[in-house]
Amino acid sequence: QVQLVESGGGLVQAGGSVRLSCVASGSSDFAVSAVAWYRQAPGKQREFVAKITGGDVSNYADFVKGRFTISRDGAKNTAYLQMDSLKPEDTGVYYCNADLRFPPDYLLTGDGNEYAYWGQGTQVTVSS
């Protein structure tokens, strides 16, 4: 059983900063490939925020470029989203999405698979 758990959300004033974490854990032997962050504001569809590949190539939605930074720590199976210069419109539930490889070396051996997992989300509220 493997799960993704986000943390770090909360209430912050406009212009402030928050760092979200996403930890992949479980009893299976796996490795984390690409990780992405999405968000969903009340009454709106979930939208892409940022992504980092297994090779540490990152890309961002236009509305967060220059303000948010995605990173990862492979040894800890953890990804982060550093959110700076926050705006009220950044308010929403932030979700982590990760591709996990079972087992970690399956791309080399051809024996295994890769699956996408979602976390339960963490609320970020930016007050004006």
Side-chain angles (χ1 to χ4, degrees):
Q1 189 78 5
V2 175
Q3 61 178 353
L4 298 182
V5 178
E6 302 101 330
S7 62
L11 176 64
V12 62
Q13 288 189 332
S17 298
V18 166
R19 189 175 83 154
L20 305 182
S21 299
C22 171
V23 181
S25 63
S27 57
S28 300
D29 187 20
F30 67 92
V32 180
S33 183
V35 180
W37 288 92
Y38 290 77
R39 70 185 187 187
Q40 187 166 19
K44 295 187 177 181
Q45 289 188 332
R46 191 172 298 187
E47 61 183 356
F48 169 79
V49 175
K51 180 178 181 177
I52 186 166
T53 69
D56 288 338
V57 175
S58 58
N59 64 292
Y60 299 88
D62 286 343
F63 52 77
V64 302
K65 282 182 179 177
R67 300 190 298 123
F68 292 9
T69 304
I70 189 170
S71 61
R72 60 190 297 158
D73 184 335
K76 297 180 179 180
N77 285 334
T78 301
Y80 305 97
L81 185 67
Q82 178 67 40
M83 305 162 62
D84 299 318
S85 302
L86 284 162
K87 304 175 182 180
E89 52 264 43
D90 293 318
T91 293
V93 179
Y94 283 71
Y95 297 91
C96 175
N97 171 266
D99 295 327
L100 305 185
R101 301 195 304 270
F102 299 84
D105 63 351
Y106 106 90
L107 291 179
L108 297 176
T109 66
D111 184 13
N113 217 325
E114 187 169 285
Y115 301 95
Y117 285 78
W118 287 92
Q120 83 290 347
T122 184
Q123 176 71 43
V124 174
T125 302
V126 184
S127 63
S128 57

